Amino acid sequence: QQQVKQSPQSLIVQKGGISIINCAYENTAFDYFPWYQQFPGKGPALLIAIRPDVSEKKEGRFTISFNKSAKQFSLHIMDSQPGDSATYFCAASMTSGTYKYIFGTGTRLKVLA
Amino acid sequence: SAVISQKPSRDICQRGTSLTIQCQVDSQVTMMFWYRQQPGQSLTLIATANQGSEATYESGFVIDKFPISRPNLTFSTLTVSNMSPEDSSIYLCSVGTTDTQYFGPGTRLTVL
């Protein structure tokens, strides 16, 4: 019940295309869903996050879509660029509890020039 | 956001030895966490570093193997004890607000 399932494991997108990464969770007590971007040799960096009281959040080219009834959320990267090539992790946490994150398995994105 | 530094950034160690990793934050934070990230894998929480009390370890991780100190609100250490090649990983500290966590750059450990 604590798992966060992430797909796909890897993704190749043409420059200018849309990259879509999906995550699903089971524990309905989760109330905070961040996405992290990690470049090789670096720590994960917070990209965007959402709470279940909204269905969508957009920041620049990055959008989170959230479906509370399906217990799913996804990251959309519009106009994907080669500089977006990185590993992306979704996570879930309970902010009223221990604040621990449960991470997805990661998606390695490659954007072709 | 917080600025987090870790020392060392990388190290190569011999089997059976121990390594202490330091994590320094530029502001006082309540929550600090230690993660392990094996090559090409996701992040696994080792423990929550509690200031003024013992760390809280996740299932599969024990204090004898991964002792943690948290002497104040800006600093923590993680020791990887009696290392084996299976301990080769990236070790990351993170600091948390009530919802968001910010990660340090990580320590890449190779055990021969």
Side-chain angles (χ1 to χ4, degrees):
Chain A
Q1 197 178 19
Q2 287 292 86
Q3 276 189 323
V4 176
K5 296 180 180 179
Q6 183 172 347
S7 63
Q9 185 175 0
S10 62
L11 181 62
I12 299 175
V13 174
Q14 293 288 336
K15 179 182 177 181
I18 302 173
S19 303
I20 302 174
I21 305 171
N22 302 298
C23 284
Y25 63 99
E26 297 173 355
N27 190 342
T28 55
F30 288 142
D31 62 357
Y32 184 72
F33 303 90
W35 284 90
Y36 283 83
Q37 179 188 56
Q38 186 177 30
F39 293 105
K42 305 290 185 182
L46 179 65
L47 195 59
I48 187 172
I50 198 168
R51 294 187 179 281
D53 53 345
V54 296
S55 61
E56 186 175 282
K57 182 174 182 181
K58 184 176 180 179
E59 290 185 3
R61 295 185 294 110
F62 301 93
T63 300
I64 298 179
S65 296
F66 187 85
N67 186 329
K68 188 174 181 179
S69 61
K71 292 186 283 186
Q72 296 175 348
F73 58 108
S74 59
L75 175 69
H76 293 63
I77 305 175
M78 311 301 288
D79 186 28
S80 298
Q81 299 296 312
D84 297 329
S85 297
T87 301
Y88 293 81
F89 294 96
C90 64
S93 74
M94 290 177 278
T95 59
S96 60
T98 59
Y99 312 109
K100 294 189 298 185
Y101 278 13
I102 306 298
F103 279 92
T105 49
T107 296
R108 185 169 293 184
L109 171 66
K110 185 175 179 64
V111 181
L112 302 177
Chain B
S1 64
V3 177
I4 306 164
S5 60
Q6 284 185 234
K7 289 182 181 179
S9 59
R10 58 177 61 224
D11 207 341
I12 300 173
C13 301
Q14 295 296 320
R15 180 196 299 260
T17 63
S18 298
L19 176 72
T20 295
I21 302 168
Q22 299 179 5
C23 179
Q24 180 76 54
V25 191
D26 68 340
S27 58
Q28 293 186 338
V29 292
T30 304
M31 291 171 287
M32 293 182 78
F33 305 91
W34 286 98
Y35 288 84
R36 181 173 73 184
Q37 185 176 29
Q38 295 179 309
Q41 302 296 314
S42 186
L43 292 85
T44 301
L45 181 64
I46 297 171
T48 302
N50 303 307
Q51 196 267 330
S53 64
E54 244 182 42
T56 305
Y57 290 84
E58 297 301 303
S59 175
F61 297 96
V62 295
I63 187 171
D64 289 346
K65 176 67 176 177
F66 298 101
I68 288 171
S69 78
R70 178 92 192 268
N72 56 52
L73 293 175
T74 64
F75 186 79
S76 178
T77 66
L78 169 75
T79 299
V80 186
S81 303
N82 188 24
M83 290 183 285
S84 67
E86 293 71 36
D87 295 320
S88 297
S89 282
I90 299 171
Y91 292 86
L92 296 144
C93 73
S94 77
V95 302
T97 63
T98 52
D99 47 26
T100 303
Q101 287 190 29
Y102 300 98
F103 285 83
T107 295
R108 184 179 295 269
L109 171 62
T110 301
V111 184
L112 302 177

